[in-house]
Structure formats: structure tokens, C-alpha cells
Amino acid sequence: MSWFSGKVSHLMRDAQRGANSAAERAQTAAGGSRTADELAAELENQARRVAGPQAAAELLMRWVERSEVPQNIFPLAGMGSGDSSHGLAEPLNFHQVLLRSQALELLLEACGKQPVLRSDILRGGDPEKDSGSGLREALGKLAECTLLPGARVVWPGLLEVLLLSAAHEETTIVAPGRPGGSANN
């Protein structure tokens, strides 16, 4: 009988460890143990790794959804240790961490540099008729979520200028073996 009770006790301990591990993973996913700086670095890495229009649109929509949940808080790295280099004493929510990071800038840079992303955004189109990725719409929703009202008015034009200037820079790069020449020559 002691063998059986030992097995049951062992199984219960394993189940408890598994539940604790799952709870820790859920807390980490919700931002429980990450600092604002760690989350900002993660967001920036996500922006750098964007490969296709669909993945970029999904990433942006996740950022928008998480920005709308003010309960997720992330302490600053120096909080509690007497470090006041940030000048902030309060933890930040996801929206604030996103604004504080360079994730949006890095994503826009990736969209300008990658022709497939750039063309998907510039193509835009009617969301009801367009069977595309929804990247342009996702960028618009993130802009609504993050930009000040006055900046939202100029957002579409600014986005187009950013993307077209990136395309122009790409076509004027000096081609190897052609000193001073253009890649298009």
C-alpha cells in the first residue's frame, strides 16, 4: 500500500509543479515578471523579424489589442532598487511600453525596406474587396491607437512618403562594380 501512496504523492507533486509552471508561463505572457525594458526589447525584436504582410498585420493587431488592456503592467528595470534614472516611479502598461520602445519605427523601417511589405501597404485598396493581408488597415489602427489626434490627420500621407522615399533610396543605391553609377543604369 505504501508503494501506491508513494506513486499518488509523486503524481500529485508533478501535477502541482506542472500547474505552477503553467501559471508562471501565463504570468510571464501577461507581463507579470518582465520589466518594461525587457518587453520593449522583445517588441523591437518582433518588429525586426517581420517577414511577410500577413505576419506584420497580425503583429500590429496583437499590439493594438494589448494596448487596449490597461491592466498589464511592467515595472521599470530600476524600480525598487533606488534607481531613479528613468525619472518614473510608476510601472508602465503595454501601450506606454510600446510608445517608449522603437518597435513602431523599426516596423516602419522594415516595411520601407522590404518590397513585398511596401507594395502591400501602398496597394491598400478597399478592405471589403481586397483579399490582401490587411497590413495597411492594421497600421491605420495602430496609428489611431498611438498617435495624437492632430497627427492622425497627416498619417496616411506621411506613411506614403516614408515608403516611397525608402523605395527611391533602394533604386539609387550604387551598384557594385559601377563607381558613381546607379543600380538602375
Side-chain angles (χ1 to χ4, degrees):
M1 195 67 153
S2 66
W3 173 83
F4 181 74
S5 62
K7 285 290 187 185
V8 168
S9 174
H10 182 68
L11 286 172
M12 288 177 62
R13 256 182 292 158
D14 286 347
Q16 183 62 36
R17 273 191 229 131
N20 288 342
S21 175
E24 288 172 7
R25 284 192 306 270
Q27 183 179 14
T28 299
S33 63
R34 287 185 294 183
T35 66
D37 292 336
E38 291 168 341
L39 177 61
E42 179 186 325
L43 295 173
E44 291 167 2
N45 285 330
Q46 289 173 357
R48 283 185 191 100
R49 290 190 313 257
V50 164
Q54 189 65 36
E58 290 171 4
L59 176 64
L60 288 167
M61 292 312 296
R62 277 196 312 269
W63 289 356
V64 168
E65 290 168 5
R66 291 183 71 187
S67 289
E68 294 171 348
V69 180
Q71 291 87 357
N72 291 339
I73 59 167
F74 304 89
L76 293 169
M79 281 184 63
S81 64
D83 179 14
S84 61
S85 63
H86 293 291
L88 300 171
E90 300 280 327
L92 304 176
N93 63 32
F94 181 86
H95 180 77
Q96 293 166 326
V97 173
L98 178 62
L99 291 174
R100 190 170 178 255
S101 75
Q102 293 183 349
L104 181 57
E105 292 90 337
L106 291 167
L107 186 72
L108 289 173
E109 182 180 4
C111 289
K113 287 182 176 179
Q114 295 182 32
V116 66
L117 295 174
R118 185 174 56 241
S119 66
D120 192 79
I121 294 169
L122 291 173
R123 183 177 60 239
D126 184 5
E128 293 176 8
K129 296 178 184 175
D130 190 17
S131 60
S133 66
L135 180 54
R136 184 179 184 99
E137 291 77 24
L139 269 171
K141 287 182 183 184
L142 187 65
E144 287 176 20
C145 173
T146 58
L147 298 178
L148 295 172
R152 290 181 200 153
V153 174
V154 297
W155 170 251
L158 178 62
L159 179 61
E160 190 170 336
V161 167
L162 286 170
L163 296 174
L164 291 175
S165 66
H168 178 70
E169 287 175 14
E170 189 177 277
T171 60
T172 58
I173 295 174
V174 175
R178 293 186 185 174
S182 167
N184 291 349
N185 292 343

